[in-house]
Each structure stands twice: as C-alpha cells, then as structure tokens.
Amino acid sequence: MGAWRHRRQHRQRWLGLLTVGIGAIALAGCSEPEPVLFSHDARLSGEEFAEKPNSRRAIETIVDEMFGPSPALLKVPEGTGLPRGGRRLAGLVREPGSDQVVPVTYRPPGAEQPVRLEGGQALYHRHCLHCHGVSGDGQGPTAPFLYPRPRDYRRGLYKFTSTDYGKKPTRDDLRRTISNGIDGTSMPAFRAQLEPIEIEQLIDYVIFLSLRGEVERALIEEASFFADEDLAGEEGMEELRLIAEDLAQGVIFPNWRDAMDPGAVVQPLSPRVASTPESIARGRDLFLGTSADVKLECVGCHGASGKGDGNSWIDPETFNRYVFLENHDPTDRGALEKLREIAEQRQRRWGDDWGDPLRPADLNRGVYKGGRRPIDLYWRIATGITGTPMPAHVTTLRDPDDLWHLVNFVLALPQQPELLRPDRARRPTGSAAAATAAAGPGSGATAGSAATASR
Amino acid sequence: MKAWSLLFGLTAVIATAAFVYAPFDEDWWLPSYRATNAEAMATLEEIDARSGALAGEVEAMRDLGGPASAEQLEGLDSGRRWLARQAVRLGMMADQGFLSERSRELQSRAALASEAVASAREALGIGPAPAAVEEAVGALEGLRERAEAAIASVSEPGGSLRAPISSAARQIDHLYVLILVITGLTFVGVMGAMVVALWRFGAKPGRKAVYSHGSLKVEIAWTVIPGAILVFLALYQLRAWADIKFKSSYPDVAPLAEVTARQFQWTIRYPGPDGQIGTGDDLHTVNDLHFVKGQPTIIRLKSDDVLHSFFLPQLRIKQDAVPGMDIPVLFDADKAGRFELLCAELCGWGHYKMRAQVTVHETQDEFDEWLARSLEEQDYPPPPASDPDGVAAAAVPPGPGVE
Ligand SMILES: [Cu+2]
C-alpha cells in the first residue's frame, strides 16, 4: 500500500510539473510579440556616425517624431498630398479632434454596409515586407536571394515611370507595377489577390515610406554641417528640426505632389507609327547607330545582337560568376564588392544607382519589365529608366517618329531575331508547327518546343 | 479492457457520424464555386428577392381611390434608389467579366425599372395611375425573371462544394464517395469487431482470456477480401484516369492558351487574331484565365523554374507543372462565373501568392469580346487607322551581321 501511495504521489508531482510546463509554454506563446520598429539608415549605425552619437540621436529622433517610430504608431505629416491626409495607411485612425480611435471603413459602390479596411500598413506587412523590408529599404528577409534585388524606396527613385527621368512616379505607374508585377523579376502581380481599394492603400504606404526615407537621407546630409556637440542640446535639435520641416515641406513633399499632377505624364510627341517593315528597319538602324542622321549609343549597352552584352558593361561571364556562382552566401556582399572593383578597374558598368548588380535588357527575350504596351516601351525609351544608365532619348532624337520606330523594332525583335542576327533567321516552320498543334493535341509537344526554341 | 473497448466504440461512432455528416454538408472545408462568386451571387439574389417584393408593393397601388399616401411614395422612392444602386453593381459585374452579356442586360433592365418606378411615383402622387403601375410591375417582373435565370446559369440549386460542375468532377466525386463508403464501412466494421472480440474473449472474473494461435481461414479471408477490393478500385478508376489524363482520349481542339507557372504567379499567353501561340500578336495576362462554359478546353502547362501544380479545386483538376515539359491539361465547366486557380505544390516562400482568377464565360461571344478588349488594352495607344491589322510582315532584309 505504501509503495502504491508513493507512486501515486510521484505521478501527481509529474503531472503538476507537466501542467506548469505546458502553461509556461502557452503563456510564452501568447505574450506580446516584439514591437516592429522602423529601422534607420545603415549609415547612422556605421562608421560615419561612430564618433557622432549626438548627430545620430538627433536625426533618429526627428525622423521618428515626423513619421512615427514604428508602423503601428505611424504619423503622416501635413502636406504629403496623400489622399485623406494618409488616413488609409493604418487600419485604425484617431478621429480629428477627439480621443476616439475608430476603424477605417469604406463603402463599395452599390453596397449598403461599409466594409472595414485593413490599412496599407497591415497589407504591406503581409504582402511586401518580406522582400522590401519594414522601412522599405529593400532588405527584407528574402531580399538577398533575389535578382534583381527588391526596390529600396527610401531614395524615392522608381524605374518604371511615365514621368521624366529622375522624376517621381505617378500613382498610375505604381498601380500598374503592383497590379501586373514586373515581368522577369521576382515582383509578382497582385491584381488577383487584392481589391482595387487595397492596391490604393499600398500605393499610399509605399509613398509614405519613400517620404520617410528621403527626409532621413536629407537630414544625414544636413547634419554634416553641424558639429556633433551642437546637436547635444535642445537648441541644436530645434534648428535641425526646422531644417527637416523646410526640406520636407519645400522640396520632398512637393516633388511627390507634382507627380500627382496630370501634366507630369509624358505624352507621346507624335501619334503612334504603324509597325511597317520600313519602320522596323529604321528602328534597327537607329539601334545599331548606322543611320546617317542620328547616332544613338544603344549597342554600347544592349550589344550588337541585342542580348545586353554591350562593351560599356562588364562581360556576362564575370558578372554571372560574382552575382550568381561565387555568391554562395547571398547575405554576404563581399562578392559584389569584388565585382565592383573589377568593373572599376576595367572601366565598365556593373549595376544601378542603388548599388545593386544589374545588366542591360536582353531584347531578344520579349520580356518587358515595365510593361509590353507600345506606350510603356515608348516611355522607357523616351524618358529613360530612372536609377539606371538608360538615358532619356526625347531630346536626342530630332524626328519624334523615331521613338516609335524604335518601339516597333523592339517589339518585333523577339519575333524576328534575324533583324540583328541573320544566322538566326526563323525556320519557316512557324505556321506548320502551329498547324499541327491545331490538328491534334498529341502533336502539341512538338509545336511547343518549336515555339520555345524560337523565343 | 473497458477503457479500450470504450475507445474503439467511440471511434466507430465518431467515424460514422463524420461519414454521414461531412461530405453532405455545405462548404465547410474548401471554398465552393459558389463562394468564389459570392459578391455577384449576393447581388443577383438580392435583386431576385427585392424586385419581386417591390413589384407586389407597386401592384397594391393599382386601384387606389386617390393619390398615394406619403408613406407609399416614400417606399417607391427608396425602391427607385435601390434599383439605381443595383444598376451600378451590375455594371461592375459586367466589367469584371462575370456573365458579361447577362449582367449588361440586367443592368439596362434595372435602369429601365428604376425609370418606370420613378414615373409611377410621379403619377401616383397626383392620382390613380393604373397604366404607370402596370408598366413598373412589368419592368420589375422582367428584372426578377432575368436575375433568376442568371442565378441558374451560375449555380446549381443549393450549389455547394459537392455539386459537380465539370466532367472530371462528376467522375472524381463518384470515385471519392465510392471509396469513402468502402473505407468507411470497413473502418466501422473493424472497430466494431474489435469491441466484440474484447468483450467475448477477454478475461472476466472466474475466466481466463481466450488465447489463440491464429486461424488460417480468417487470415486468408482478411487478405483476400481487401485485396479484391483494391483490385476492383484499381480497375474501376481506369476510365476516369484515362478520360482526364490520357492525351489520346482528348477531344480534337486547339489549345486555348499556354499557362506558364513561375515563382510566384501564373503567366498566361492566348493566341491572338492569327490563332497561333508564340507570335507577336499574342495576349499576355498574369493570373487571369478565361474560357467558355461547356467547351472542352486544353491548356499547355509549363514551368519557368521549379515544380508547381495547376489546381482548379472547383473543377477537380490538378496537374503538376514540370520544368522542361509541356503538358496538355484538359478541363471544362458546366457553370459560368468565377473560379480559382491555385498552386498546389509548395514551390517557395511566395507559394501562397500563386492564386489566379478564372472566369468562365457563358458564350463564345463573351469570351471573344473579352479577348478583343484585352488585346486592345495591350496595344495602347491604338495603331494608326491606315495600318489594316497592325501586324508587320516579316519582310525586313537581314541585318548587317554579328560582330
Ligand atoms: Cu507554385
């Protein structure tokens, strides 16, 4: 009997311990997660500011005051031009002039009841953060594994715009990128996953992160005019705060508001030109620089065969070795540093303004990152691609129709590789293969491989 | 022993309950094809219900002695406003490609009904107006009938997940239920047999448990019977497999599109006016698959990077996309409306994003209209009118050569 009771007590003790253990795990699981904070520019934690703790603290404090220290506590400064003062960024907002925090709602056309909205911040965290990062620095957890690298919003530079080179994108441009994705990159299309209003919220949030990043970068530049000890006291802080306000309200916010103006969109200088053989041939001559009147430098980057292997860029073998093959640890930027060194030594290009590796487009593939509509290609050629060496051609070309000739050529090239490479003349099997495909699905595989080979 | 038999008995009871309940319940474990159309269905059902009620309300005012009361006029006003709202919703449905022809017709009918109700209200404010009432009732009834027809073309009566709405779904659901019945009965039978054995042959006060060295007869029985069942299933399902997967049994139709899976989206390429995939006039879409109701449809499935799986849950079609292979996939749908295309093979961090919208058009005309409109959008700005087809002949002389 004694032994039995002892065993029973023993078992009870174990049960008790087990309960406590499970409870502890459960409690730990339910505890508040670590707050997500906006990160600050890497330069602030680097060598540059190692000896200037006061400057660093001042910049971080002012940026946090202006935009909020974390996504959950974000603030939208006045004058950003965001619709409804940026109310759509957060799922909950404080009603103006009251302490009440209310959910953001929206009434779809035709509906009786308003629907609750999540807010751009929450949507961004679910769909975008893992590549683009909490503060939009393009350093999310999956970013190092991708090529091309995700966009860093903080410079406020965007590649695929309908505005002039270096100018901000319009909302339409951002909407197109989010809805259709970027062909040939890891940016997926979100049209099927998001409601139109949700895409608008995301656009707001992306612009918000750009504004924040641009103010931060500008402040880093401004702080270099201060002695570090000057920023220790409240007086220096107040001065820097005023500068920040001036920069934001006088330069950074107006740039974005300008892009909202319908006049910011570059309209074609001449109506579209039909894609005739003559037009394509003219486009090819312009591309190759063999036309008598205008000399363009397309071949220097895109190469004489249009494969993106021109002489101004580092050769593809070296590029691939350092970007894809030797870069076994994608989080280590050492291989990229080496690539940059080699490129500088040979005086060749290797990347974009963000310091990420990049190659000129292979025009034979029929992959158009900024969209495949003729107007998209027109914008790419006419206004260039912001942040890359692709220049605007609108001023270089005297005849505005030449832009359309180039568009027609670029659109035709994947179908007619013989335009640049006479040895690649398309075998006259195109129609025959398609005819067999139409005749029976059993022969579908042959038609498919012919189509693949010719692409 | 008591505990064990209780456990087995309970398992058998729960299994029976789940078996009876689960497959016959509405959509509780997968979104049904009805759910993917939820918003449009809600609109149609609302129109069906409320326009009938509104017609009754208007009808009641036919034989009024004098002008209608303020309350009655207010009812007509709110009805008119409601009709105008429905016209907006229907226009949006048409734009999204949901039964575009029917939606557009319904939209104009809703607008007409709204006008008819407005003029009836006008007339009734002054005095009895049987003619105006007649007209409003007629317009509302017409709207209701059309809404009902539209519902029927999208959904089975009470259409839940179980309602098979494609040829493959009928075969697969039949096999699913058959196998569920066989395995369910076997499971419950085995559990029951175990409870009986525990009670009949277990130790009891004054009796030892029965010990046995086995029985050849029983062993042969429990090997041969399941074996026979498995052989039966293996042979019985051949027909379904052959119909869905064998290329030799595919109907003789040209492929609708080329669907390429890539991390993390579906890129789809439809032949343009020349009817060939892979030429310059193709339509390129992302995450947007369109085909026509009631037509056997074949797509060519490819992958750009890793393994993906082309999964149309409501149509019970699943096919892996394998890099380097070009796999024809056959499917059809009996119902128009909107469905889902999902990736069913874990393909990387963005797997959850690989979701596309599938629109089944009711008629070929609807599909052609969508295709033409999309091609036009892709060819923006429109080419000059002098160019007859916007496609250049491949007659450019070869270039000056490669360096
Ligand atoms: Cu996938």
Side-chain angles (χ1 to χ4, degrees), chain A residues 134-153:
Chain A
V134 176
S135 58
D137 54 5
Q139 305 282 344
T142 48
F145 303 91
L146 305 180
Y147 173 83
R149 297 289 166 104
R151 180 61 48 246
D152 172 358
Y153 305 138

Side-chain angles (χ1 to χ4, degrees), chain B residues 308 343 345 347 351 354:
Chain B
H308 299 274
C343 178
E345 175 71 56
C347 56
H351 172 59
M354 276 189 76

Side-chain angles (χ1 to χ4, degrees), chain A residues 117-446:
Chain A
L117 279 184
E118 255 188 310
Q121 182 259 118
L123 289 166
Y124 180 88
H125 278 222
R126 183 180 315 154
H127 294 289
C128 322
L129 175 142
H130 56 78
C131 287
H132 292 285
V134 176
S135 58
D137 54 5
Q139 305 282 344
T142 48
F145 303 91
L146 305 180
Y147 173 83
R149 297 289 166 104
R151 180 61 48 246
D152 172 358
Y153 305 138
R154 296 173 309 170
R155 289 178 178 233
L157 297 181
Y158 291 83
K159 279 166 84 172
F160 307 112
T161 66
S162 57
T163 51
D164 280 322
Y165 189 95
K167 290 276 190 288
K168 304 295 172 210
T170 64
R171 284 186 83 86
D172 248 351
D173 295 333
L174 296 174
R175 193 176 297 128
R176 261 200 312 278
T177 302
I178 296 176
S179 307
N180 306 339
I182 300 179
D183 205 6
T185 75
S186 304
M187 171 74 184
F190 285 96
R191 184 174 299 167
Q193 346 284 354
L194 296 172
E195 297 288 320
I197 182 74
E198 293 179 318
I199 292 182
E200 297 308 307
Q201 291 176 303
L202 277 177
I203 295 171
D204 285 358
Y205 197 67
V206 166
I207 295 178
F208 170 81
L209 290 177
S210 281
L211 297 172
R212 182 184 172 277
E214 283 179 83
V215 168
E216 187 175 50
R217 283 174 62 86
L219 273 184
I220 290 176
E221 300 306 321
E222 290 298 327
S224 63
F225 298 114
F226 285 79
D228 194 50
E229 48 277 15
D230 288 350
L231 288 171
E234 193 48 42
E235 208 175 299
M237 278 283 282
E238 196 51 42
E239 202 175 320
L240 194 60
R241 209 172 266 138
L242 285 176
I243 292 175
E245 196 64 28
D246 270 359
L247 282 168
Q249 302 297 347
V251 184
I252 296 168
F253 297 172
N255 279 346
W256 279 95
R257 288 205 305 268
D258 288 350
M260 304 297 138
D261 184 71
V265 176
V266 172
Q267 299 297 342
L269 294 173
S270 61
R272 189 171 157 198
V273 175
S275 176
T276 56
E278 295 77 43
S279 166
I280 293 172
R282 167 76 181 162
R284 179 187 63 195
D285 289 347
L286 287 166
F287 177 85
L288 291 172
T290 53
S291 54
D293 46 345
V294 208
K295 291 271 178 276
L296 298 182
E297 304 286 333
C298 309
V299 172
C301 291
H302 292 285
S305 53
K307 280 160 71 179
D309 54 357
N311 288 331
S312 343
W313 285 73
I314 195 147
D315 60 294
E317 291 71 37
T318 314
F319 182 87
N320 290 347
R321 189 174 332 127
Y322 286 101
V323 176
F324 300 116
L325 301 181
E326 281 196 3
N327 197 10
H328 292 304
D329 176 8
T331 52
D332 172 27
R333 288 182 75 89
L336 288 185
E337 280 303 310
K338 212 144 171 209
L339 177 68
R340 195 169 59 86
E341 258 170 47
I342 297 172
E344 268 166 20
Q345 217 170 30
R346 298 192 198 161
Q347 299 191 320
R348 301 287 184 90
R349 291 187 169 127
W350 72 281
D352 57 24
D353 286 4
W354 291 270
D356 292 328
L358 189 75
R359 288 209 68 79
D362 177 350
L363 300 172
N364 294 280
R365 289 176 62 213
V367 171
Y368 306 107
K369 289 187 188 169
R372 63 170 60 247
R373 297 177 307 164
I375 188 73
D376 295 323
L377 295 172
Y378 185 94
W379 282 327
R380 293 303 86 76
I381 300 170
T383 74
I385 300 178
T386 302
T388 74
M390 174 77 180
H393 288 90
V394 98
T395 47
T396 342
L397 292 167
R398 249 167 294 150
D399 181 0
D401 279 355
D402 277 350
L403 283 164
W404 286 119
H405 296 317
L406 279 165
V407 168
N408 288 336
F409 163 72
V410 170
L411 276 173
L413 184 60
Q415 302 307 319
Q416 304 171 33
E418 70 276 11
L419 284 170
L420 292 182
R421 291 176 291 170
D423 55 316
R424 289 294 177 89
R426 208 175 220 219
R427 283 155 296 156
T429 54
S431 53
T436 43
S443 55
T446 19

Side-chain angles (χ1 to χ4, degrees), chain B residues 309-370:
Chain B
S309 186
F310 178 89
F311 182 29
L312 298 169
Q314 290 96 356
L315 307 184
R316 318 288 197 271
I317 288 290
K318 196 187 271 177
Q319 171 64 53
D320 275 12
V322 186
M325 284 180 78
D326 178 350
I327 306 170
V329 185
L330 172 75
F331 50 85
D332 60 12
D334 306 344
K335 292 287 168 189
R338 305 223 275 171
F339 301 87
E340 274 179 304
L341 160 59
L342 305 167
C343 178
E345 175 71 56
L346 183 57
C347 56
W349 55 265
H351 172 59
Y352 72 101
K353 283 181 194 168
M354 276 189 76
R355 198 173 123 207
Q357 205 153 66
V358 180
T359 303
V360 181
H361 293 282
E362 215 183 357
T363 59
Q364 183 69 40
D365 285 349
E366 263 185 38
F367 176 85
D368 292 342
E369 186 202 314
W370 166 80

Side-chain angles (χ1 to χ4, degrees), chain B residues 60-317:
Chain B
M61 292 179 220
R62 187 210 306 259
D63 304 318
L64 286 179
S69 70
E71 206 177 303
Q72 282 171 321
L73 290 179
E74 177 51 39
L76 289 178
D77 267 338
S78 82
R80 183 186 52 73
R81 280 197 300 273
W82 172 79
L83 282 165
R85 264 206 308 280
Q86 302 322 302
V88 174
R89 283 168 87 177
L90 288 161
M92 281 169 59
M93 274 161 57
D95 288 346
Q96 288 165 356
F98 180 90
L99 302 180
S100 36
E101 280 174 12
R102 282 182 194 267
S103 295
R104 221 161 285 144
E105 199 209 329
L106 274 166
Q107 184 192 7
S108 59
R109 274 180 184 271
L112 278 179
S114 168
E115 271 169 38
V117 171
S119 51
R121 187 220 177 272
E122 200 80 346
L124 284 166
I126 301 160
V133 165
E134 201 74 37
E135 196 171 312
V137 170
L140 285 166
E141 280 300 330
L143 180 66
R144 194 188 57 77
E145 269 166 36
R146 292 302 161 131
E148 223 161 63
I151 291 171
S153 77
V154 175
S155 171
E156 301 276 348
S160 71
L161 180 77
R162 265 190 71 246
I165 52 154
S166 73
S167 318
R170 276 186 289 278
Q171 288 177 304
I172 292 200
D173 287 10
H174 169 67
L175 284 172
Y176 174 81
V177 172
L178 179 75
I179 293 172
L180 190 71
V181 167
I182 293 172
T183 51
L185 287 179
T186 309
F187 182 77
V188 170
V190 168
M191 286 294 143
M194 249 149 67
V195 173
V196 169
L198 278 168
W199 280 102
R200 261 195 75 188
F201 306 115
K204 279 181 189 154
R207 194 191 84 182
K208 265 187 164 182
V210 177
Y211 286 80
S212 156
H213 284 286
S215 151
L216 189 63
K217 261 192 246 164
V218 175
E219 277 178 29
I220 287 175
W222 79 40
T223 308
V224 168
I225 294 172
I229 292 175
L230 289 179
V231 168
F232 162 73
L233 286 179
L235 296 175
Y236 188 76
Q237 59 79 43
L238 279 178
R239 183 75 260 159
W241 184 259
D243 284 350
I244 299 168
K245 297 282 184 190
F246 280 10
K247 280 145 213 89
S248 52
S249 68
Y250 278 12
D252 186 10
V253 291
L256 166 96
E258 182 186 283
V259 178
T260 308
R262 58 170 287 239
Q263 288 172 322
F264 296 95
Q265 62 191 20
W266 303 94
T267 54
I268 305 171
R269 196 169 174 162
Y270 300 84
D274 67 355
Q276 296 174 24
I277 302 177
T279 52
D281 64 350
D282 290 355
L283 172 69
H284 299 252
T285 69
V286 181
N287 293 342
D288 201 13
L289 180 66
H290 289 246
F291 62 99
V292 185
K293 164 180 155 178
Q295 289 186 8
T297 302
I298 293 173
I299 55 118
R300 288 175 14 200
L301 184 61
K302 295 179 175 180
S303 169
D304 261 355
D305 34 44
V306 298
L307 282 177
H308 299 274
S309 186
F310 178 89
F311 182 29
L312 298 169
Q314 290 96 356
L315 307 184
R316 318 288 197 271
I317 288 290

